[in-house]
């Protein structure tokens, strides 16, 4: 089967079988790299990277990957100032030009849904290198690769996602993939920094069990945990409470010493993320939040000997440098896996390699909602707010609820 010509904008654009095909090929790419083999699979092909936001790993690992495949690379870093975007050119027009030069495009942009809009206007594959606070699907591919390679499997593994789960795009793609691959997910996020509603809505489809906590520091400092459970955050319950039943009380309980050991005993992976300050209002907001989760030697001592500490990087204060020496610190190895994983992805999307799968389940393409003229996405960071030529489009979730085609935010209709 082939992945030739496909875009990768959301992790949900690929089925589990397709993701596994990328990871399997990444293993082959990895052994080719280890043997020092130069591949010429993509000779004569051109990769364009166009990044409107800073990047260290994503852009350079894509570029390294293409070089290792024998292809060539053109780079647009700081495209917000170096491209005609600075003169007011739209995303659609930029892509309509680049598709004439490139065989494949990797784009990063600060607006949610921007890379989906780019893909709509491109006849060559577009890969998202991250769109605003929405998703970062290729980071997820390498995160899954890391877990699979170092823990042997994803299914049944206990994975804790810690940090700014609201604004961090890496965890949005990752939590969906973990749910689909059957991992057991724990979320540890400061108050107001938990998973956004639209991600919870997507997760519902996978009937996944989420356990959520609000602080890691409480666990470490006192050997007990301030637990807010359940996080009654779904839109449905809020709507209900507005309907006169009052705001649901959050139960706060102090669990016994020993609970943390229990929690950590069950965690195969601790995945940390930084506070996404660039997506917060300026000022001190976030400082206290940042203090509430941090991994250091003390916490490491309480974790399993075979746990993996992961982080998409860059780190700020949530990951102490003293952790780096520990064999459980996987984050630099994780960043390294970005090259074979992105080699596999590029080679597959360019049709330079076919997957080894002879047939996989037919993909269901969801149909767009009809009669939505006048409905607009409520996400202030949605690309449809800025690029006004982009017609708002939605998927129907139920008769009262629509999901934005670009950024996945839900809109209630009456
Ligand atoms: C992430 C990103 O850009 O979302 N970085 C990356 O690609 N590895 C994470 C982050 O910036 O916090």
């Amino acid at each position: 089967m082939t992945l030739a010509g496909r875009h990768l904008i959301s992790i949900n654009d690929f089925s589990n079988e397709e993701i596994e095909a990328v990871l399997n090929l990444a293993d082959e790419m990895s052994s080719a790299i280890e043997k020092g083999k130069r591949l010429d699979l993509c000779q004569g092909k051109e990769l364009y990277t166009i990044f409107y936001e800073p990047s260290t790993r994503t852009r350079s690992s894509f570029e390294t990957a293409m070089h290792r495949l024998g292809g060539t690379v053109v780079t647009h870093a700081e495209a917000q100032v170096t491209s005609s975007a600075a003169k007011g050119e739209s995303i659609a027009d930029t892509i309509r030009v680049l598709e004439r030069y490139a065989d494949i495009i990797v784009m990063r942009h600060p607006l949610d849904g921007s890379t989906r809009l780019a893909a709509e206007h491109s006849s060559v594959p577009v890969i998202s290198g991250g769109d605003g606070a929405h998703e970062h699907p290729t980071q997820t591919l390498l995160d899954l690769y890391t877990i699979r390679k170092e823990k042997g499997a994803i299914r049944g593994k206990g994975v804790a996602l810690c940090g700014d789960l609201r604004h961090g795009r890496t965890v949005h793609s990752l939590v969906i993939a973990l749910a689909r691959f059957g991992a057991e997910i724990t979320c540890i996020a400061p108050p107001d920094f938990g998973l956004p509603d639209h991600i919870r809505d997507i997760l519902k489809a996978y009937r996944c069990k989420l356990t959520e906590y609000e602080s890691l520091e409480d666990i470490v400092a006192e050997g007990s945990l301030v637990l807010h459970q359940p996080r009654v955050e779904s839109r449905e319950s809020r709507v209900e409470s507005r309907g006169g039943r009052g705001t649901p009380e959050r139960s706060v309980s102090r669990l016994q010493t020993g609970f943390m050991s229990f929690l950590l005993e069950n965690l195969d992976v601790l995945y940390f993320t930084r506070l996404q300050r660039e997506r917060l209002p300026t000022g001190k907001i976030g400082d206290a939040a940042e203090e509430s989760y941090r991994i250091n030697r003390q916490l490491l001592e309480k974790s399993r000997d075979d746990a993996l500490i992961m982080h998409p990087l860059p780190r700020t204060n949530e990951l102490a440098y003293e952790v780096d020496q520990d064999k459980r610190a996987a984050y630099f190895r994780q960043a390294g896996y970005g090259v074979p994983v992105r080699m596999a992805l590029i080679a597959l999307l360019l049709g330079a390699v076919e997957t080894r799968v002879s047939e996989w389940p037919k993909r269901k393409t969801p149909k767009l909602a009809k009669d939505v003229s006048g409905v607009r996405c409520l996400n202030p960071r949605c690309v449809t707010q800025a690029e006004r030529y982009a017609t708002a489009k939605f998927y129907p979730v139920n008769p009262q609820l629509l999901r934005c085609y670009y950024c996945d935010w839900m809109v209630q209709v009456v």
Side-chain angles (χ1 to χ4, degrees):
M1 296 289 286
T2 183
L3 286 175
R6 294 267 295 275
H7 304 294
L8 178 60
I9 305 300
S10 159
I11 197 66
N12 271 352
D13 291 345
F14 280 11
S15 67
N16 286 12
E17 293 78 10
E18 290 165 344
I19 291 174
E20 276 167 352
V22 178
L23 305 189
N24 293 342
L25 183 61
D27 271 332
E28 293 179 33
M29 297 296 178
S30 183
S31 26
I33 296 173
E34 273 163 31
K35 289 185 193 126
K37 264 207 219 157
R38 267 210 87 79
L39 303 173
D40 54 9
L41 287 168
C42 294
Q43 218 164 25
K45 300 287 182 189
E46 185 87 52
L47 169 85
Y48 260 67
T49 57
I50 178 149
F51 277 52
Y52 298 80
E53 270 190 350
S55 168
T56 302
R57 278 149 291 275
T58 305
R59 189 165 60 77
S60 44
S61 61
F62 263 114
E63 294 179 6
T64 306
M66 190 52 161
H67 285 303
R68 286 194 177 276
L69 290 166
T72 49
V73 175
V74 174
T75 298
H76 254 299
E78 294 191 70
Q80 70 282 12
V81 286
T82 61
S83 80
S84 290
K87 303 177 190 168
E89 186 167 64
S90 68
I91 292 175
D93 286 356
T94 303
I95 294 297
R96 281 180 185 133
V97 173
L98 293 190
E99 66 160 3
R100 284 161 198 276
Y101 308 155
D103 296 291
I104 188 162
I105 298 169
V106 182
M107 174 174 157
R108 170 174 285 187
H109 193 280
L111 291 175
D112 300 7
S114 49
T115 49
R116 178 74 69 201
L117 181 69
E120 272 191 306
H121 291 92
S122 175
S123 57
V124 302
V126 175
I127 301 173
S128 176
D131 61 325
H134 180 222
E135 281 206 43
H136 194 342
T138 65
Q139 178 68 43
T140 291
L141 291 178
L142 73 95
D143 293 343
L144 296 176
Y145 184 80
T146 307
I147 299 173
R148 201 179 81 154
K149 189 172 179 82
E150 303 217 356
K151 301 299 298 178
I154 300 163
R155 181 163 300 281
K157 297 291 175 226
V159 182
L161 304 175
C162 317
D164 182 357
L165 309 187
R166 179 157 306 248
H167 309 99
R169 56 192 169 203
T170 64
V171 283
H172 297 164
S173 303
L174 181 58
V175 75
I176 294 169
L178 290 173
R180 281 172 41 187
F181 279 94
E184 287 169 16
I185 305 163
T186 299
C187 290
I188 302 167
D192 300 326
F193 288 84
L195 287 175
D197 280 351
H198 67 277
I199 297 291
R200 290 164 194 273
D201 276 299
I202 294 171
L203 291 177
K204 269 190 208 151
Y206 308 110
R207 296 183 204 291
C208 102
K209 186 173 159 275
L210 269 189
T211 316
E212 300 189 86
Y213 305 110
E214 288 194 336
S215 163
L216 199 54
E217 208 174 53
D218 293 328
I219 312 176
V220 178
E222 300 170 34
S224 65
L225 178 72
V226 181
L227 174 68
H228 300 252
Q229 214 182 22
R231 301 261 314 233
V232 192
E233 276 219 355
S234 75
R235 181 183 343 78
E236 287 78 1
S237 51
R238 281 216 301 269
V239 169
E240 216 174 64
S241 70
R242 270 191 232 120
R245 293 201 204 167
T247 310
E249 280 277 307
R250 276 165 147 209
S251 63
V252 179
S253 48
R254 213 155 249 282
L255 296 187
Q256 294 130 19
T257 319
F259 182 75
M260 184 189 62
S261 321
F262 169 77
L263 182 71
L264 290 176
E265 246 326 284
N266 286 293
L267 291 179
D268 298 281
V269 178
L270 283 148
Y271 189 104
F272 280 78
T273 60
R274 74 182 166 94
L275 201 73
Q276 306 282 307
R277 285 190 186 271
E278 68 273 38
R279 300 194 188 110
L280 298 179
T282 46
K284 283 203 176 306
I285 182 159
D287 288 356
E290 200 173 41
E291 287 303 305
S292 70
Y293 65 95
R294 178 173 161 85
I295 180 150
N296 51 20
R297 203 179 297 130
Q298 200 189 356
L299 183 74
L300 209 54
E301 271 165 22
K302 297 175 195 283
S303 305
R304 279 163 56 152
D305 279 350
D306 62 349
L308 281 189
I309 312 300
M310 294 176 63
H311 196 304
L313 302 175
R315 74 172 120 186
T316 47
N317 295 317
E318 64 289 341
L319 183 55
Y321 278 79
E322 63 195 22
V323 175
D324 298 359
Q325 312 315 322
D326 197 285
K327 69 174 180 9
R328 290 168 286 186
Y331 29 92
F332 291 115
R333 298 196 296 275
Q334 179 187 351
Y337 298 141
V339 174
V341 168
R342 288 173 170 130
M343 283 172 78
L345 181 65
I346 294 170
L348 287 165
L349 299 190
L350 283 176
V353 179
E354 299 285 291
T355 69
R356 304 240 185 281
V357 185
S358 53
E359 200 173 310
W360 48 46
K362 256 202 160 14
R363 289 190 323 138
K364 276 195 232 137
T365 322
K367 290 209 164 35
L368 288 171
K370 295 193 180 105
D371 306 325
V372 289
S373 59
V375 183
R376 288 212 68 85
C377 179
L378 300 177
N379 176 2
R381 285 186 317 259
C382 179
V383 71
T384 55
Q385 312 286 5
E387 307 264 324
R388 301 302 285 199
Y389 58 90
T391 322
K393 291 182 210 168
F394 302 91
Y395 291 115
V397 178
N398 63 42
Q400 276 82 46
L401 204 58
L402 300 171
R403 177 161 61 84
C404 176
Y405 166 82
Y406 293 99
C407 74
D408 286 319
W409 270 44
M410 303 284 177
V411 182
Q412 218 138 21
V413 280
V414 269

